[in-house]
Amino acid sequence: MTASAEEAYPELLDLVPTIEAIQNTLLVVGGGYNVPAVSLMPLARSWCLYEIAHTPPGALRVHVGWSPWRLVEQQRVKFGIDCLDVAKAQSFDPKDKRMIDVRVIDSFGTFERANEQIRAAVLHGYFVAVANAYQQAPARTVPASALDENAGGAGAADEERQQKELREGILRVHAAGHQPLFNKSIVALFVGDNQEDKATCKSIEAQVSLAHHER
């Protein structure tokens, strides 16, 4: 009979303290292209959710694979995050699944409390990843001079020039037919209750609005 993970690897008893001590959990997901269910596979695995559940607040980073950032596909990803459920997650070994469920209840009291914490953490991590993708793409169209630390220093005038060139970059991306990447609905889609995320989203929307206004 195959031993459970806990029996085979007693050190797993120290997994939670280890996760808390490291304070840096990386969740790698697909970009949601065509098969969101596969893209979010880690969110259907008991061990993955167990680690996410015990990651300290703000210590979960999400790396999103290649994506065309189409709104409809990202809506499916958001739906997948909203529906993730520790109780329905699977493990290769049924013993591991039972052990994880017991430990989750011991830690959170109910599956729903665990789900709320996991969903919030994943949503925040995904928002950061999406917001970064959103803001980095136009930066590739910004002239190299805007990134040269020796070009004009770091004064207010230089900062204003860089902001103007960033907005011009956004317009060039739109003109090149890459507007889906800059659909602000995608960024707003992943805003939860995190106040910092809400502020970031408003800032992005303001940049896009200003860019269009200056066209």
Side-chain angles (χ1 to χ4, degrees):
M1 181 177 296
T2 303
S4 70
E6 191 174 35
E7 294 169 334
Y9 305 98
E11 61 269 24
L12 288 177
L13 293 172
D14 299 324
L15 180 59
V16 172
T18 300
I19 294 171
E20 294 174 345
I22 294 174
Q23 296 197 13
N24 184 14
T25 300
L26 175 63
L27 172 65
V28 180
V29 295
Y33 184 60
N34 288 338
V35 193
V38 174
S39 299
L40 298 176
M41 185 63 72
L43 301 183
R45 307 305 301 173
S46 292
W47 278 115
C48 294
L49 294 185
Y50 182 72
E51 293 184 37
I52 293 172
H54 290 91
T55 296
L60 177 70
R61 293 184 299 120
V62 176
H63 177 78
V64 180
W66 184 86
S67 173
W69 299 113
R70 296 190 182 97
L71 179 59
V72 64
E73 287 153 359
Q74 296 308 306
Q75 287 173 330
R76 292 173 185 160
V77 170
K78 175 58 164 55
F79 179 76
I81 295 174
D82 290 342
C83 293
L84 70 83
D85 189 344
V86 177
K88 294 180 180 178
Q90 299 296 315
S91 175
F92 288 114
D93 190 328
K95 289 184 179 180
D96 291 351
K97 166 64 176 171
R98 290 193 293 270
M99 177 195 70
I100 292 171
D101 286 352
V102 169
R103 286 175 170 267
V104 167
I105 294 298
D106 287 344
S107 297
F108 296 94
T110 65
F111 284 125
E112 189 51 43
R113 287 180 182 174
N115 289 339
E116 290 175 359
Q117 181 161 322
I118 296 171
R119 289 168 189 158
V122 173
L123 191 63
H124 169 66
Y126 209 94
F127 171 82
V128 172
V130 170
N132 286 341
Y134 183 103
Q135 296 179 87
Q136 288 173 7
R140 290 197 294 268
T141 68
V142 175
S145 60
L147 305 176
D148 186 351
E149 295 180 357
N150 298 319
D158 187 57
E159 182 176 349
E160 182 178 350
R161 173 178 58 79
Q162 291 187 32
Q163 289 296 321
K164 185 173 186 297
E165 290 177 332
L166 176 62
R167 292 193 293 272
E168 291 174 350
I170 290 175
L171 291 178
R172 286 195 291 274
V173 171
H174 275 276
H178 300 304
Q179 187 169 350
L181 180 61
F182 291 96
N183 186 329
K184 62 185 178 182
S185 298
I186 293 177
V187 180
L189 188 65
F190 296 99
V191 176
D193 295 327
N194 187 294
Q195 295 302 314
E196 185 178 342
D197 292 351
K198 291 180 179 179
T200 298
C201 187
K202 287 183 178 180
S203 175
I204 289 174
E205 290 179 343
Q207 287 283 1
V208 174
S209 297
L210 186 56
H212 279 287
H213 179 71
E214 292 181 349
R215 172 178 276 177

